[in-house]
Amino acid sequence: MERTVHRLTFPKRERMVSQRQIDELFGGGHSSSLAAYPLRAVFLKKERQQGDSPVQLLISVPKKRFHHAVDRNRVKRQIREGWRSHQQVLREALPSDQQLLVALVWLSDQHLLTNEVENRVVSLIQRISEKL
């Protein structure tokens, strides 16, 4: 019995960089939203195209919340770490012919400890997987 091993990585192909996909996620009116303060998740399940990654993520930490880039980068690093180590739950819940676009938006102007941020990310991942 052969078992596929998924490495705990976050490669570039899993990052949402296409403006078309971002517009579809935020402007289409078909996306859903969940919050686990200080994070808000906006997600959209759609038909998967050939060669696309099953799950793509966008992380947004607005300059309005943290004026210094070092602070924004720290929060993004914390979010990526939580996502990287727990994203497999979404992959397993998603049908193979579907793609999931997810945006995680930071809502607070306060820093949190890394394990608190990870707990919020895990909570959002579990709640999204239940909705799939």
Side-chain angles (χ1 to χ4, degrees), residues 5 16 18 24 31 45-46 73 89 97 100 110-111 122-124:
V5 177
M16 192 183 328
S18 165
E24 186 178 4
S31 58
K45 185 169 78 168
K46 65 178 212 165
N73 291 339
V89 174
D97 64 335
L100 183 66
Q110 301 294 316
H111 284 287
V122 169
S123 170
L124 286 171

Side-chain angles (χ1 to χ4, degrees), residues 19 22 24 28 30 40 48 51 57 65 67 70 79 83 102-103 105 108:
Q19 189 63 46
I22 295 169
E24 186 178 4
H30 300 292
R40 178 173 155 241
R48 185 173 170 191
L57 176 69
R65 303 295 179 198
H67 300 292
V70 65
I79 294 170
W83 176 266
V102 181
V105 182
S108 173

Side-chain angles (χ1 to χ4, degrees), residues 6 8 13 37:
H6 294 282
L8 299 177
R13 65 184 179 83
Y37 193 79

Side-chain angles (χ1 to χ4, degrees), residues 21-48:
Q21 287 181 325
I22 295 169
D23 290 343
E24 186 178 4
L25 179 62
F26 286 105
H30 300 292
S31 58
S32 301
S33 177
L34 295 170
Y37 193 79
L39 281 170
R40 178 173 155 241
V42 179
F43 61 97
L44 174 67
K45 185 169 78 168
K46 65 178 212 165
E47 191 172 319
R48 185 173 170 191

Side-chain angles (χ1 to χ4, degrees), residues 41-81:
V42 179
F43 61 97
L44 174 67
K45 185 169 78 168
K46 65 178 212 165
E47 191 172 319
R48 185 173 170 191
Q49 302 297 320
Q50 183 69 27
D52 281 348
S53 177
V55 180
Q56 288 193 315
L57 176 69
L58 169 76
I59 298 173
S60 175
V61 181
K63 193 182 282 190
K64 177 180 177 182
R65 303 295 179 198
F66 293 110
H67 300 292
H68 299 286
V70 65
D71 295 324
R72 292 191 302 274
N73 291 339
R74 175 182 178 219
V75 171
K76 287 190 280 190
R77 194 175 316 112
Q78 289 173 319
I79 294 170
R80 273 195 309 269
E81 179 61 22

